[in-house]
């Protein structure tokens, strides 16, 4: 048992998956607390400070991808089943299911010993699609500050995905 707890499969796949599951459950339970709902962005930014520490960045990215994927999938499935925690629109229930699957596949890819570049690019594509939907929803409500933020976040996510994709693709041989 001790050797399994020290293995890479536990450290890079199972532990982030279980921690993300606990985090998603906590989000569903704590989102009803008014104080936490008001300060959710601040809490998310504080948690995100770990991404600036290179020693934990990769593990946090795996945890983030699992957590986001599980959240998207559970919200989509809850909407399909008419559960109170669903409440997504017609387009979002399909989109969020797709985004959840993309995030989980990305997390599985990042959980390898040598993670491939496509895993992070796939996560960025999923985030870009989410922010594009976010931008459109706020555009329909004439909420221009959120639209500007959404356009910037969509562009940043898709730009990062494109640069990773271009850098990872083999270049054709050049003629002399």
């Amino acid at each position: 048992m001790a050797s399994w707890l020290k293995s890479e499969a536990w450290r890079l796949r199972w532990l982030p998956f279980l921690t993300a599951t606990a985090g998603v459950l906590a989000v569903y339970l704590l989102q009803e607390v008014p104080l936490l709902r008001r300060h959710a962005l601040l809490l998310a930014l504080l948690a995100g400070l770990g991404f600036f520490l290179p020693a934990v960045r990769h593990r946090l990215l795996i945890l983030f991808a699992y957590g986001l994927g599980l959240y998207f999938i559970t919200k989509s499935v809850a909407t399909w089943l008419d559960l109170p925690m669903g409440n997504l629109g017609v387009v979002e229930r399909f989109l969020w299911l797709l985004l959840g699957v993309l995030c989980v596949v990305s997390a599985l890819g990042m959980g390898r010993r040598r993670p491939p570049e496509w895993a992070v690019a796939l996560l960025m594509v999923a985030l870009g699609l989410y922010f594009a939907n976010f931008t459109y929803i706020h555009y329909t409500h004439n909420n221009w500050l959120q639209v500007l933020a959404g356009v910037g976040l969509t562009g940043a996510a898709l730009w990062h995905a494109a640069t990773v994709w271009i850098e990872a693709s083999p270049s054709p041989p050049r003629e002399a």
Side-chain angles (χ1 to χ4, degrees), residues 115-155:
E117 293 293 326
W118 63 261
V120 176
L122 186 63
L123 179 63
M124 290 300 129
V125 167
L127 288 174
L129 290 172
Y130 169 77
F131 287 126
N133 182 54
F134 170 88
T135 303
Y136 177 73
I137 289 171
H138 285 287
Y139 171 75
T140 60
H141 292 113
N142 206 19
N143 196 350
W144 289 100
L145 184 59
Q146 302 291 35
V147 168
L148 290 174
V151 167
L153 291 168
T154 301

Side-chain angles (χ1 to χ4, degrees), residues 47-62:
L49 288 177
F51 284 105
F52 292 104
L53 301 171
V56 296
R57 182 180 301 137
H58 181 71
R59 291 184 187 133
L60 280 177
L61 199 56
I62 296 169

Side-chain angles (χ1 to χ4, degrees), residues 33-67:
V33 178
L35 179 66
L36 294 177
R37 191 177 327 125
R38 266 185 301 206
H39 301 294
L41 180 60
L42 178 62
L43 293 172
L45 289 174
L46 287 174
L49 288 177
F51 284 105
F52 292 104
L53 301 171
V56 296
R57 182 180 301 137
H58 181 71
R59 291 184 187 133
L60 280 177
L61 199 56
I62 296 169
L63 178 65
F64 176 70
Y66 272 128

Side-chain angles (χ1 to χ4, degrees), residues 3-16 18:
S3 65
W4 187 73
L5 290 176
K6 292 180 181 181
S7 71
E8 286 186 21
W10 169 253
R11 210 170 22 94
L12 295 175
R13 288 194 186 112
W14 289 106
L15 183 62
L18 294 174

